Amino acid sequence: MGWFSRRAADPTTPTKLDREANRDDLTALEAFVTSRRGVEFYLEPETTATDTTVVAVAHDGEWIRRRVGTPRAAGKIAQKHAVPLYEAGRTGYPERMRAWNRAHPERRAR
């Protein structure tokens, strides 16, 4: 019947479902860093759905997630602004971020 047969992948079909990082993403990260204190970066690896991303978390737990393209690009921004850069898969996210999410449920709709 062929129910379980695999189709050959179409080479013209992109494997990514999302867009790549652009200058607006990097500008948003830099604006977040310069307008808040105690910011830390948490690097998230590229997946089949998204480009490499960084979650920037401020001292009070407020956060943003933006595409950065590569871990090297994240490192450059972190170094430029003297922001610590952690691998989210190794360290996890800080509790203050979860507390901020609980205090701001309106952000979940985004």
Side-chain angles (χ1 to χ4, degrees):
M1 285 231 171
W3 287 352
F4 300 106
S5 65
R6 295 182 182 217
R7 293 184 186 179
D10 180 2
T12 61
T13 303
T15 56
K16 286 193 167 193
L17 301 176
D18 203 5
R19 66 174 178 82
E20 292 186 359
N22 60 36
R23 185 68 203 149
D24 291 341
D25 294 320
L26 302 178
T27 301
L29 278 174
E30 290 185 343
F32 188 86
V33 168
T34 58
S35 64
R36 284 142 180 106
R37 62 185 173 89
V39 176
E40 298 172 333
F41 281 175
Y42 293 84
L43 183 68
E44 299 173 325
E46 178 180 345
T47 67
T48 57
T50 359
D51 209 352
T52 302
T53 55
V54 163
V55 175
V57 183
H59 78 285
D60 61 353
E62 182 182 5
W63 61 276
I64 64 167
R65 175 181 284 118
R66 294 292 183 269
R67 294 162 188 83
V68 290
T70 65
R72 177 175 274 172
K76 285 182 181 181
I77 295 172
Q79 186 175 19
K80 177 181 176 182
H81 295 284
V83 172
L85 176 63
Y86 305 106
E87 289 183 46
R90 289 182 181 219
T91 63
Y93 300 99
E95 177 56 37
R96 68 183 185 275
M97 180 179 164
R98 288 186 282 283
W100 194 88
N101 284 341
R102 286 189 296 273
H104 297 86
E106 72 278 2
R107 282 281 300 261
R108 291 179 200 204
R110 289 185 182 178

